[in-house]
């Protein structure tokens, strides 16, 4: 049973919902990404905190840094349709995609070099044993 009021969440409830540790949530809090209310020693998270946590975790899965996630999340402005936020998100996604494609090309080059080194090493070994 929850000690929080309706429409709010405890740290353990959020940790369980998102499959993370309470330590992770406290880390995000220490970084200023989450700002729960306090009732004595108890942290009480709002629905907005829950959404921020969800977006932080989504950004992490997409490979965004915490600063990149913070920048995008902090741009939330429903009064103006979030156009700037959505455009920035698209820019970040495109940049991440380009970065990953470059990493993929780099990995393919290294794999080709490893294949070449393997072939040369096996050929040298074969010469030694014949």
């Amino acid at each position: 049973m929850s000690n929080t009021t309706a429409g709010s969440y405890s740290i353990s409830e959020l940790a369980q919902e998102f499959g993370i540790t309470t330590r992770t949530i406290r880390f995000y809090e220490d970084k200023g990404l989450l700002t729960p209310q306090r009732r004595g020693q108890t942290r009480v998270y709002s629905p907005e905190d829950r959404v921020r946590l969800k977006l932080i975790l989504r950004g992490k899965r997409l490979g965004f840094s915490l600063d990149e996630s913070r920048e995008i999340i902090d741009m939330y402005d429903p009064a103006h349709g979030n156009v700037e936020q959505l455009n920035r998100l698209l820019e970040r996604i495109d940049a991440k995609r380009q970065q990953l494609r470059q990493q993929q090309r780099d990995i393919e080059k290294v794999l080709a070099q490893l294949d070449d080194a393997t072939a040369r090493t096996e050929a040298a070994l074969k010469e030694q044993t014949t």
Side-chain angles (χ1 to χ4, degrees), residues 15-53:
Q16 183 176 9
E17 177 180 352
F18 292 107
I20 58 177
T21 64
T22 57
R23 185 175 185 206
T24 298
I25 295 173
R26 286 191 298 273
F27 174 79
Y28 294 144
E29 189 178 328
D30 290 343
K31 295 292 182 184
L33 292 161
L34 299 173
T35 54
Q37 295 179 354
R38 299 263 184 181
R39 292 199 186 120
Q41 293 296 320
T42 304
R43 292 169 170 87
V44 179
Y45 296 87
S46 68
E48 292 80 14
D49 290 321
R50 182 186 168 278
V51 170
R52 284 182 71 88
L53 179 57

Side-chain angles (χ1 to χ4, degrees), residues 117-130:
T118 298
R120 284 185 282 122
T121 304
E122 288 173 345
L125 187 58
K126 187 174 183 180
E127 283 182 21
Q128 295 290 321
T129 59
T130 56

Side-chain angles (χ1 to χ4, degrees), residues 6-128:
S8 63
Y9 307 88
S10 70
I11 192 169
S12 58
E13 288 171 332
L14 290 178
Q16 183 176 9
E17 177 180 352
F18 292 107
I20 58 177
T21 64
T22 57
R23 185 175 185 206
T24 298
I25 295 173
R26 286 191 298 273
F27 174 79
Y28 294 144
E29 189 178 328
D30 290 343
K31 295 292 182 184
L33 292 161
L34 299 173
T35 54
Q37 295 179 354
R38 299 263 184 181
R39 292 199 186 120
Q41 293 296 320
T42 304
R43 292 169 170 87
V44 179
Y45 296 87
S46 68
E48 292 80 14
D49 290 321
R50 182 186 168 278
V51 170
R52 284 182 71 88
L53 179 57
K54 183 177 182 177
L55 294 173
I56 292 163
L57 295 172
R58 182 177 295 155
K60 184 178 174 186
R61 283 192 305 274
L62 292 174
F64 294 151
S65 70
L66 289 180
D67 287 337
E68 289 172 322
S69 290
R70 177 198 320 268
E71 176 190 12
I72 294 166
I73 292 167
D74 286 349
M75 293 177 75
Y76 181 69
D77 184 12
H80 297 97
N82 295 312
V83 172
E84 188 178 347
Q85 180 194 38
L86 295 172
N87 282 327
R88 182 68 50 89
L89 179 57
L90 285 173
E91 290 170 9
R92 294 287 186 209
I93 289 170
D94 185 54
K96 183 57 66 177
R97 183 179 286 120
Q98 289 177 30
Q99 176 190 10
L100 289 171
R101 286 188 175 138
Q102 182 59 52
Q103 288 175 335
Q104 186 177 33
R105 287 189 294 272
D106 294 344
I107 289 169
E108 288 169 359
K109 287 178 186 176
V110 171
L111 287 172
Q113 292 170 351
L114 289 171
D115 290 343
D116 182 55
T118 298
R120 284 185 282 122
T121 304
E122 288 173 345
L125 187 58
K126 187 174 183 180
E127 283 182 21
Q128 295 290 321

